[in-house]
Amino acid sequence: MKKIILTGDRPTGNLHIGHYVGSIVNRLKLQNTEFDKFYIMIADTQALTDNAGNVDKVKNNIIQVAIDYLSAGINPEKVNIFIQSQVPELAEMTMYFMNLVTVARLGRNPTVKDEIKQRSFSNSIPVGFFCYPISQASDILAFGTNLVPVGEDQLPMIEQTREIARSFNNTYGKEIFAMPEPLLPENNICRRLCGLDGGLKMSKSAGNCIYLKDDEKTVKEKIMSAYTDPNHIRVTDPGKVEGNVVFSYLDAFATDESFKKHLPEYKNLDELKAHYRKGGLGDVKIKLFLNNVLQEILTPIREKRKELEKNIDAIYEMLFENGKKARKVAQNTLQKMKEAMGIDYAKFLKK
Ligand code: ATP
Ligand code: MG
């Protein structure tokens, strides 16, 4: 079976360290494996579903997200990075898939439910937003994808994509679509990295992020203001590690090597946690350690970004060229869908 990988991000802001551990680390690993095709889609059409009046934000963040990918180490020689709206066939596929999904089923999607609450839409949910899981199914299925590296919040989308694929195959009697599988990070904490404010998920829309592009000073300031244990007031107080943002980030980023280098009085994270729980370990110390660990990862990304920013035109060119290639693949899939449905009317002309 072919190995076709597709994943993406909404250009609603720069990428943050949640994206890094949730999906970019897996993308970096995957790009060094054997595969047939690897696509990364900048989901501008999807971003507009909750930003209709904010087109500039979406438009300007396309290049930002592309620079984030490249500075984090995504190799454009191996991976096709393209812009969603440059493949209009995805919208047409969505129209056909919409007929296979009920309103009730869409309403049950737990991620969409959370996002509706987070955006305070209450009774004014844009139809496009409500339906974005269907358009996401098109993004995945158009390319014959069978592997989707994502964070945990995307599992309901992939489940729904599989249902749509199955439903299309059954309704039209042809096995057009493969069943895509999600690829989650191995480390549980990285599947949904919490926000700096202790919020359940770091997310661009919630504004609780450390961005890959943040400068050294900003990263440090954000870490120093991160939510820890509100009852850990004096250094001598016993502290809670669960729900403590600094420990969550250390779980995601610190290795035994980090301790050797930056905090040699502890062997590993278990020892540090035990001390914090017992009391006698201050928040400033753990925050400064986290700062050292994160700066080590973010400094090279920041430096690469500076280089890339010198030639923005080349990045746009790469995106547009890739969009054309991606479009050909989607056109081919759409044609197969139409044949299966019996609406490939062009055949009448040939008679
Ligand atoms: P928005 O708030 O606009 O939805 P976002 O921060 O949720 O933005 P997306 O572009 O929606 O980012 O997500 C892109 C990818 O990154 C998805 O695979 C998603 O699962 C993953 N991801 C996003 N946030 C996190 C996080 N906090 N932890 C782990 N993975 C994440
Ligand atoms: Mg999101």
Side-chain angles (χ1 to χ4, degrees), residues 92-100 334 338 341 343:
E92 193 174 343
M93 285 177 66
T94 303
M95 287 304 291
Y96 300 128
F97 287 154
M98 278 181 164
N99 305 329
L100 304 171
L334 182 62
K338 286 181 164 179
M341 294 167 76
I343 57 167

Side-chain angles (χ1 to χ4, degrees), residues 157-176:
M157 309 303 165
I158 296 174
E159 192 44 48
Q160 200 154 4
T161 300
R162 291 166 63 91
E163 280 175 36
I164 290 173
R166 226 175 275 126
S167 174
F168 188 95
N169 290 346
N170 289 341
T171 306
Y172 301 110
K174 279 213 172 121
E175 290 293 305
I176 304 279

Side-chain angles (χ1 to χ4, degrees), residues 268-286:
N268 54 35
L269 192 53
D270 288 340
E271 274 191 8
L272 190 75
K273 283 182 179 171
H275 191 183
Y276 194 81
R277 284 194 178 107
K278 200 168 86 199
L281 176 57
D283 279 358
V284 173
K285 187 159 181 172
I286 54 166

Side-chain angles (χ1 to χ4, degrees), residues 32 45 50 54 67 112-113 115 123 129 158 174 178 196 198 203 218 223 264 275 293 304 310 314 321 342:
N32 292 324
T45 316
D50 56 337
N54 222 342
I67 297 174
V112 178
K113 267 192 193 163
E115 290 174 341
N123 284 331
F129 184 79
I158 296 174
K174 279 213 172 121
L196 276 166
S203 109
T218 308
I223 292 172
H275 191 183
V293 171
K304 193 149 178 214
K310 291 183 192 153
E321 282 310 308

